[in-house]
Amino acid sequence: GAVVSQHPSRVICKSGTSVKIECRSLDFQATTMFWYRQFPKQSLMLMATSNEGSKATYEQGVEKDKFLINHASLTLSTLTVTSAHPEDSSFYICSARDRPDTQYFGPGTRLTVL
Amino acid sequence: QKEVEQNSGPLSVPEGAIASLNCTYSDRGSQSFFWYRQYSGKSPELIMFIYSNGDKEDGRFTAQLNKASQYVSLLIRDSQPSDSATYLCAVNGGKLIFGQGTELSVKP
């Protein structure tokens, strides 16, 4: 299957700082990538859809100025959590689509904001 | 009404038994259906996808789709303790819509 990587796998930061998470498709080109957030014992929540070369589409209730998404190439999308606060602590997972509708997930990034 | 519904479980089966996981969806226009497995603390891993009515088998896994009943299921034969995880059903309605997941526990 297709391989998606994420970096870093774990980050701890102080409140008010910004954190950047990278998502890469390693063996295929992904015109579309997705960013999800998952709180403990809950299902995945789609935050935004990232299309190469264009602005991301955010889901209702997700602040686009807080969660900055850049999809500059066919293999890389980044999510920047700006001015992070403790309530932003969560498991952030990206996915990439290699066929019209099959998504493969990265290993996730666990963010802890102190 | 939720768009994709699964029993949250936990579903407990003995080792070697068949585990049956069920999922219903509301959008009749959905064309593709996916099962992901998620171990605690890890990201989801794609197990199977199915597009057509009927059964699709891959090793110990069988996905079943009935579009008329808006129902998709996953059977795991010869369940192993390593199959213990949360199983997520996802339906493609333009974007993937996930159920809340069913927690499966396989007891040795």
Side-chain angles (χ1 to χ4, degrees):
Chain A
V3 180
V4 178
S5 70
Q6 244 179 282
H7 178 79
S9 59
R10 185 179 296 268
V11 59
I12 300 173
C13 68
K14 293 182 179 180
S15 184
T17 60
S18 294
V19 175
K20 179 185 281 190
I21 303 169
E22 291 187 352
C23 177
R24 294 181 185 272
S25 56
L26 297 185
D27 52 1
F28 66 100
Q29 293 184 329
T31 54
T32 304
M33 292 183 173
F34 303 85
W35 288 95
Y36 293 84
R37 180 166 54 180
Q38 187 176 38
F39 293 105
K41 301 292 186 183
Q42 295 186 24
S43 191
L44 297 165
M45 187 195 83
L46 178 64
M47 299 176 66
T49 301
S50 168
N51 292 299
E52 187 265 338
S54 63
K55 290 184 179 180
T57 302
Y58 290 83
E59 294 299 303
Q60 191 173 6
V62 178
E63 300 174 60
K64 61 180 181 180
D65 294 330
K66 182 168 185 61
F67 299 99
L68 301 179
I69 292 172
N70 183 273
H71 193 157
S73 77
L74 288 172
T75 59
L76 173 64
S77 177
T78 60
L79 168 68
T80 301
V81 183
T82 62
S83 187
H85 291 284
E87 58 266 29
D88 298 323
S89 298
S90 188
F91 190 41
Y92 291 86
I93 313 171
C94 73
S95 71
R97 198 161 62 183
D98 75 333
R99 279 183 263 186
D101 57 3
T102 303
Q103 288 186 34
Y104 296 91
F105 286 87
T109 297
R110 192 161 303 280
L111 171 64
T112 303
V113 184
L114 303 176
Chain B
Q1 181 185 2
K2 292 183 180 178
E3 296 181 70
V4 180
E5 292 205 44
Q6 297 179 253
N7 288 327
S8 60
L11 172 66
S12 184
V13 300
E15 184 174 357
I18 295 175
S20 178
L21 304 161
N22 304 314
C23 174
T24 57
Y25 59 95
S26 59
D27 183 1
R28 283 195 171 274
S30 300
Q31 296 296 316
S32 48
F33 308 85
F34 302 84
W35 283 100
Y36 289 86
R37 176 175 62 197
Q38 186 175 25
Y39 292 111
S40 180
K42 303 294 185 181
S43 68
E45 171 192 9
L46 180 66
I47 298 175
M48 291 189 72
F49 56 86
I50 186 168
Y51 301 144
S52 304
N53 276 329
D55 295 359
K56 179 181 178 182
E57 187 175 316
D58 184 0
R60 295 187 296 114
F61 299 96
T62 299
Q64 299 175 317
L65 174 61
N66 184 325
K67 289 187 178 180
S69 301
Q70 296 173 245
Y71 175 92
V72 59
S73 65
L74 179 70
L75 300 178
I76 306 175
R77 289 181 299 281
D78 188 25
S79 295
Q80 301 297 309
S82 58
D83 294 326
S84 298
T86 296
Y87 288 80
L88 300 169
C89 170
V91 175
N92 189 17
K95 58 189 177 185
L96 274 189
I97 301 169
F98 286 87
Q100 70 271 34
T102 298
E103 184 182 346
L104 172 66
S105 177
V106 181
K107 304 294 186 184

